[in-house]
Amino acid sequence: MAGERARRCWAAKRFWVVILTPLLLLPLPILTGDDIGKTGYIALLMAIYWITEAVPMAMTALIPVALVPLLGIMTAKDISQQYWKDISMLQLAGFIMAVAIERCNLHKRMALKMLLIVGTEPKRLLFGLMLITWFLAMWMSTTGSTVAMMLPILEAILLRLEELETENEETPDNNSSEGETYRENPAYITSPDDDTGVVKADDGDLAHNKINDVEKSPGEKPKRRSTSSIRDMQKGFTLSIAYAASIGGTATLTGHSTNLIFKDVADQIYSDRKALTDPGITFASWLIYGFPVSLLVMLCTCFVLQLFFLGWRDTFCQGQAFRGKEEVNKVLRKEYERLGSMTFAEKAVLVHFVLLSLLWLTRDPRFIDGWSVGFKKGYVSDGTAAMAVIFSLFIIPSNPKKYFGFSPDTSTSDDDEDKDEDSPETLMDWNYAQRKVAWNILILIGGGVALAAACEASGLSDWVGAKLFTLSDLAPWQLIMVLCAVSTVMTEFVTNTATTTLFMPIVGGVAVQFGYNPVYIMWPVELCTNMTFMLPVGTSANAFVFAYGRIRIIDMVKVGFVLNIVSFAIVNLGASTWAYAAFKWSDFPFNSTSLVQSYGHYSTVFV
């Protein structure tokens, strides 16, 4: 009876977390009696709710709308305005473009084509899965549009390999010695260069012959990949998708919601403290630091996964011949042919995608004047270009012949005609976008910005920076390493969105207190929140793939620990070398006089 009662109490833990947390934290604002304590109360409450997920994350992000005005920190109007800014329009446009690509299956066509080009040898296939997932994650939501699309393709490949293994187990080896039944896996055979006596016949079957008249000893079996090694390969393929999706999102500004949270918090800090310059974070400038780091981490991750799950021989040498590559190629080819010829909708969305990318890249490239110089300074942003392109998706028909009442083209195949008949009227319609857009992410971004604004208005960020004064003796690169290590460890147990939302205002305040450029300190820390590979909770891609059921936590922990160290080193190296020089982070962007005027009773800036 007592055990049953305990079980029910544990099942209702979320209810108790929701009720008890605000009550237990209540002494904090009561005893301090100032805005710092009140804001700390809100931040801790949100942190606990996010960590325990006792309340949906989007609803937790809305807590500042209620508590910040009630506690007298900011007005309801001021805090509500934080939830929808220019950065939200940029993210919304990115979501709609991703949904348009997903709707016409352009992403699937790109993925299958890339895999067919790269090849189907184990190490090539692993690299191909990572490459296309990494590229798509640069532009699309990691779970909704990338991981969810890649997993069915991977599943078709793995199921075919399992069928080959099953077929082989049902076929005994007639050449086994002393009546022993030996089952050869038809997906893997050794090459003729191996002294195993196993060669491949011209018709694709396995033939057991003598090589150089060398007889096999009694009971000797041909070398092959064991079932455990096949399972390891499947684990490597599965993890490659999760890790590539997380890594790819760090390559562009719109790849992860955490990137936009960091940008908006940095903009807020620069605005509130009357900075002499802007943070300089645009879609184009992000590529200077984020893209090289992402590419290097992706390549290193691919190498590490090959070592862990394919073995050193397949990584560095030719390895065993992979007969399954023909079957895998057939699966990919069949899936690609099922898509049919490229439709008008796919071509139109591809044009929009390329145009949007070019507009983002050329608006303010930094090394030359972009097209934004033709307009009033400060009036045009990446969100402006995005909405101008996205708007046309709701106007251009997906099938012009059907839309304007023309007769269908008799040159098209029946499959293409059927596909066109089922196509929507325009490339995108609002009902479809409304169902597919991740509105909870937009609210999370707004909640992060609102919390940052409250921390700035109350002086909590500066108070934390003053309390961490002992770290001011550290050089900037040493401070970055400490904060990156903390964020990496924290994100293994808390979602990357929650970590970024809580960390960015504090890290930015600490940087200003110590007299360092806040972007220099904040950017590497933000990237490390997405470079977490050990546990499912760290990123949505990890959680999605873990729920897929082909890997265990121990599989993620072993390889993830190595990848955490590798990514940590690359992020810090990039911040203190080429990015430091390109962005001139040695310059402090604030005037000490304006800082004292705005936050005089907390300011301890060392300039």
Side-chain angles (χ1 to χ4, degrees), residues 48 83 125 224 289 334 370 379 426 447 467 514 544 553 562 570:
I48 293 173
Y83 282 84
L125 185 58
R224 66 182 180 92
Y289 177 39
K334 183 178 180 180
Y379 275 63
T426 55
K467 294 300 179 182
F514 293 176
F544 202 100
I553 289 183
V562 176
I570 294 175

Side-chain angles (χ1 to χ4, degrees), residues 263 266-268 270 277-281 285 366 517 519 583 585:
K263 171 179 165 49
D267 290 341
Q268 185 84 33
Y270 273 61
T277 61
D278 63 78
I281 305 171
S285 65
R366 294 179 68 88
N517 189 310
V519 175
F583 291 100
W585 282 336

Side-chain angles (χ1 to χ4, degrees), residues 28-314:
L28 178 60
I30 294 177
L31 294 177
T32 58
D34 56 14
D35 288 347
I36 293 178
K38 296 173 183 177
T39 307
Y41 173 78
I42 297 173
L44 289 175
L45 180 63
M46 294 175 67
I48 293 173
Y49 282 176
W50 270 329
I51 292 172
T52 60
E53 298 186 13
V55 180
M57 293 189 67
M59 291 307 303
T60 301
L62 292 172
I63 286 178
V65 177
L67 291 187
V68 169
L70 288 175
L71 296 178
I73 301 170
M74 295 174 66
T75 65
K77 178 181 178 180
D78 290 340
I79 195 66
S80 298
Q81 288 176 345
Q82 308 301 321
Y83 282 84
W84 198 263
K85 292 189 171 184
D86 173 66
I87 204 70
S88 302
M89 301 302 295
L90 176 61
Q91 180 69 89
L92 177 60
F95 279 148
I96 294 177
M97 176 57 72
V99 169
I101 292 173
E102 180 184 0
R103 189 183 199 187
C104 69
N105 267 335
L106 178 61
H107 63 325
K108 187 174 183 179
R109 184 181 297 276
M110 294 168 61
L112 291 171
K113 189 64 176 178
M114 178 62 70
L115 290 175
L116 288 170
I117 292 174
V118 171
T120 52
E121 288 283 350
K123 62 181 178 182
R124 287 176 175 268
L125 185 58
L126 190 146
F127 174 72
L129 288 169
M130 288 202 69
L131 181 62
I132 189 61
T133 306
W134 175 77
F135 175 77
L136 291 175
M138 292 167 58
W139 315 95
M140 307 171 72
S141 168
T142 55
T143 53
S145 302
T146 308
V147 177
M149 184 273 297
M150 291 299 297
L151 283 179
I153 297 175
L154 175 62
E155 180 67 10
I157 296 172
L158 298 183
L159 285 177
R160 183 54 187 148
L161 293 178
E162 290 174 355
E163 289 173 3
L164 287 173
E165 183 180 358
T166 302
E167 292 170 3
N168 178 67
E169 290 176 352
E170 296 173 354
T171 305
D173 183 2
N174 296 328
N175 292 333
S176 298
S177 62
E178 300 178 1
E180 180 183 6
T181 300
Y182 175 71
R183 294 176 175 84
E184 179 73 33
N185 180 4
Y188 299 93
I189 62 174
T190 53
S191 63
D193 295 333
D194 297 328
D195 296 330
T196 60
V198 181
V199 295
K200 186 175 180 181
D202 293 336
D203 59 357
D205 295 328
L206 292 179
H208 298 266
N209 299 322
K210 300 176 183 179
I211 296 180
N212 298 326
D213 295 324
V214 178
E215 294 286 344
K216 290 183 289 186
S217 60
E220 182 181 355
K221 300 175 182 178
K223 292 182 181 178
R224 66 182 180 92
R225 288 181 185 265
S226 64
T227 302
S228 62
S229 115
I230 297 172
R231 285 198 296 266
D232 287 343
M233 182 186 68
Q234 293 173 345
K235 292 175 184 178
F237 289 164
T238 305
L239 286 175
S240 70
I241 291 177
Y243 293 162
S246 298
I247 297 167
T250 63
T252 62
L253 178 60
T254 56
H256 278 308
S257 59
T258 56
N259 300 348
L260 297 171
I261 293 173
F262 151 63
K263 171 179 165 49
D264 224 345
V265 172
D267 290 341
Q268 185 84 33
I269 292 174
Y270 273 61
S271 174
D272 290 348
R273 299 170 187 259
K274 301 178 176 61
L276 303 176
T277 61
D278 63 78
I281 305 171
T282 65
F283 188 91
S285 65
W286 187 278
L287 301 179
I288 298 175
Y289 177 39
F291 182 83
V293 166
S294 180
L295 179 61
L296 289 173
V297 174
M298 189 273 290
L299 294 176
C300 291
T301 300
C302 181
F303 176 73
V304 171
L305 288 176
Q306 288 178 355
L307 282 179
F308 267 81
F309 297 106
L310 299 183
W312 66 270
R313 185 175 183 181
D314 280 333

Side-chain angles (χ1 to χ4, degrees), residues 252-478:
T252 62
L253 178 60
T254 56
H256 278 308
S257 59
T258 56
N259 300 348
L260 297 171
I261 293 173
F262 151 63
K263 171 179 165 49
D264 224 345
V265 172
D267 290 341
Q268 185 84 33
I269 292 174
Y270 273 61
S271 174
D272 290 348
R273 299 170 187 259
K274 301 178 176 61
L276 303 176
T277 61
D278 63 78
I281 305 171
T282 65
F283 188 91
S285 65
W286 187 278
L287 301 179
I288 298 175
Y289 177 39
F291 182 83
V293 166
S294 180
L295 179 61
L296 289 173
V297 174
M298 189 273 290
L299 294 176
C300 291
T301 300
C302 181
F303 176 73
V304 171
L305 288 176
Q306 288 178 355
L307 282 179
F308 267 81
F309 297 106
L310 299 183
W312 66 270
R313 185 175 183 181
D314 280 333
T315 302
F316 296 102
C317 309
Q318 180 65 30
Q320 295 174 318
F322 182 56
R323 185 184 176 193
K325 69 179 181 181
E326 299 173 0
E327 298 296 331
V328 171
N329 191 277
K330 289 179 182 178
V331 170
L332 296 176
R333 181 68 61 184
K334 183 178 180 180
E335 290 293 323
Y336 187 77
E337 292 174 352
R338 187 178 297 173
L339 295 175
S341 59
M342 200 169 184
T343 64
F344 174 83
E346 291 178 85
K347 296 176 183 176
V349 171
L350 180 60
V351 170
H352 280 76
F353 172 72
V354 173
L355 178 61
L356 179 58
S357 301
L358 291 176
L359 289 175
W360 276 341
L361 292 172
T362 58
R363 182 183 70 84
D364 184 17
R366 294 179 68 88
F367 58 91
I368 59 172
D369 290 335
W371 56 264
S372 61
V373 297
F375 303 89
K376 288 185 177 181
K377 185 177 181 180
Y379 275 63
V380 178
S381 69
D382 289 330
T384 308
M387 279 301 164
V389 174
I390 294 302
F391 183 78
S392 64
L393 289 174
F394 293 84
I395 301 175
I396 298 177
S398 61
N399 183 7
K401 295 179 180 179
K402 176 183 175 183
Y403 189 81
F404 293 108
F406 296 151
S407 59
D409 186 357
T410 58
S411 63
T412 59
S413 65
D414 293 338
D415 292 340
D416 291 339
E417 289 179 7
D418 293 340
K419 185 162 51 175
D420 288 341
E421 287 295 324
D422 297 334
S423 60
E425 289 191 353
T426 55
L427 297 175
M428 180 57 58
D429 62 78
W430 180 248
N431 289 332
Y432 189 84
Q434 191 175 15
R435 293 196 308 269
K436 292 291 186 176
V437 168
W439 300 102
N440 60 320
I441 298 298
L442 295 174
I443 296 175
L444 279 172
I445 294 174
V449 177
L451 181 61
C455 291
E456 289 294 319
S458 65
L460 177 61
S461 299
D462 299 281
W463 180 85
V464 173
K467 294 300 179 182
L468 296 177
F469 174 73
T470 54
L471 297 178
S472 62
D473 293 334
L474 297 177
W477 64 271
Q478 293 173 324

Side-chain angles (χ1 to χ4, degrees), residues 151 536 541-551:
L151 283 179
N542 289 2
F544 202 100
V545 169
F546 179 75
Y548 186 55
R550 286 190 177 272
I551 56 175

